[in-house]
C-alpha cells in the first residue's frame, strides 16, 4: 500500500486532474484512509462486491417501480432492503426472520432504546435461534 501511495503521489502531478486517470488518482488519494481500513480491521473485505451485488436487484427494479410513493415509503423500503439483504448474507430466511421480529419490535412500544433494537438485528436474532435450537440445547445439556 505504501508503494501504491508513492506511485499515486508521483502520478498526480503528471496527469490532468479532469482526465479519467486524474479523477481516479484524486479519488484514491482523497479517500486514502478509508481505502486502507481493511488492513486495520480484519473482518472488512478489500472490495465492496457484496454490497454491489446486494444493491443490484434494487437498481434493476427501479424502472419497474417508478416511484416509492412518499419519502417515508422510501425510508421504509431502504430499511427493509437492508434487513432482507443482511438476512440473505447471513443465510437467514428473511420471511422467518420478519415473522418473528416484527411482533417483537412492535411490543417494544413507541420509543425503544438502541440496546433494545440491537437485540432484534439479524445477527443477534440468529444467535438466539442457534441457542434455542434442540441441537444446541442437547450439546449443552
Amino acid at each position: 500500500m505504501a508503494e501504491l501511495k508513492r506511485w499515486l503521489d508521483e502520478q498526480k502531478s503528471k496527469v490532468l486532474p479532469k482526465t479519467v486517470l486524474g479523477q481516479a488518482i484524486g479519488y484514491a488519494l482523497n479517500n486514502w484512509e478509508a481505502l486502507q481500513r481493511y488492513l486495520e480491521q480484519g473482518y472488512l473485505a478489500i472490495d465492496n462486491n457484496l454490497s454491489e451485488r446486494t444493491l443490484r436487484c434494487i437498481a434493476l427494479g427501479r424502472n419497474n417501480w417508478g416511484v416509492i410513493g412518499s419519502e417515508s415509503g422510501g425510508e421504509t423500503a431502504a430499511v427493509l432492503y437492508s434487513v432482507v439483504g443482511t438476512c440473505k448474507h447471513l443465510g437467514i430466511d428473511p420471511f422467518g426472520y420478519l415473522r418473528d421480529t416484527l411482533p417483537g419490535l412492535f411490543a417494544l412500544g413507541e420509543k425503544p432504546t438502541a440496546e433494545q433494537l440491537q437485540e432484534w438485528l439479524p445477527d443477534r436474532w440468529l444467535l438466539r435461534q442457534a441457542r434455542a435450537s434442540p441441537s444446541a440445547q442437547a450439546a449443552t445439556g
Side-chain angles (χ1 to χ4, degrees):
M1 289 298 283
E3 193 174 316
L4 175 60
K5 175 84 164 63
R6 274 192 299 280
W7 184 86
L8 289 169
D9 286 332
E10 289 171 9
Q11 298 307 310
K12 184 179 179 184
S13 62
K14 297 178 182 177
V15 299
L16 295 172
K18 297 209 178 197
T19 63
V20 174
L21 180 59
Q23 289 175 345
I25 290 171
Y27 178 83
L29 291 172
N30 290 336
N31 293 286
W32 188 252
E33 186 176 328
L35 290 170
Q36 296 187 102
R37 190 136 312 117
Y38 80 96
L39 296 170
E40 301 159 4
Q41 305 293 327
Y43 63 90
L44 294 175
I46 191 171
D47 58 41
N48 68 345
N49 289 342
L50 175 62
S51 299
E52 293 287 337
R53 281 193 310 275
T54 303
L55 292 173
R56 187 166 192 264
C57 64
I58 297 169
L60 290 174
R62 189 176 303 134
N63 290 336
N64 297 332
W65 304 323
V67 295
I68 295 293
S70 68
E71 184 176 338
S72 65
E75 290 173 7
T76 301
V79 168
L80 288 173
Y81 274 111
S82 296
V83 168
V84 169
T86 301
C87 285
K88 287 181 178 181
H89 174 67
L90 295 173
I92 298 171
D93 170 30
F95 293 110
Y97 169 77
L98 291 171
R99 210 175 15 253
D100 187 39
T101 302
L102 291 177
L105 288 171
F106 182 75
L108 295 177
E110 294 274 332
K111 298 201 183 264
T113 65
E115 292 80 22
Q116 289 174 311
L117 292 172
Q118 284 177 348
E119 287 304 311
W120 289 99
L121 291 173
D123 59 336
R124 302 268 182 100
W125 180 86
L126 185 60
L127 287 173
R128 278 198 310 277
Q129 297 300 308
R131 285 187 209 124
S133 74
S135 60
Q137 289 176 354
T140 60

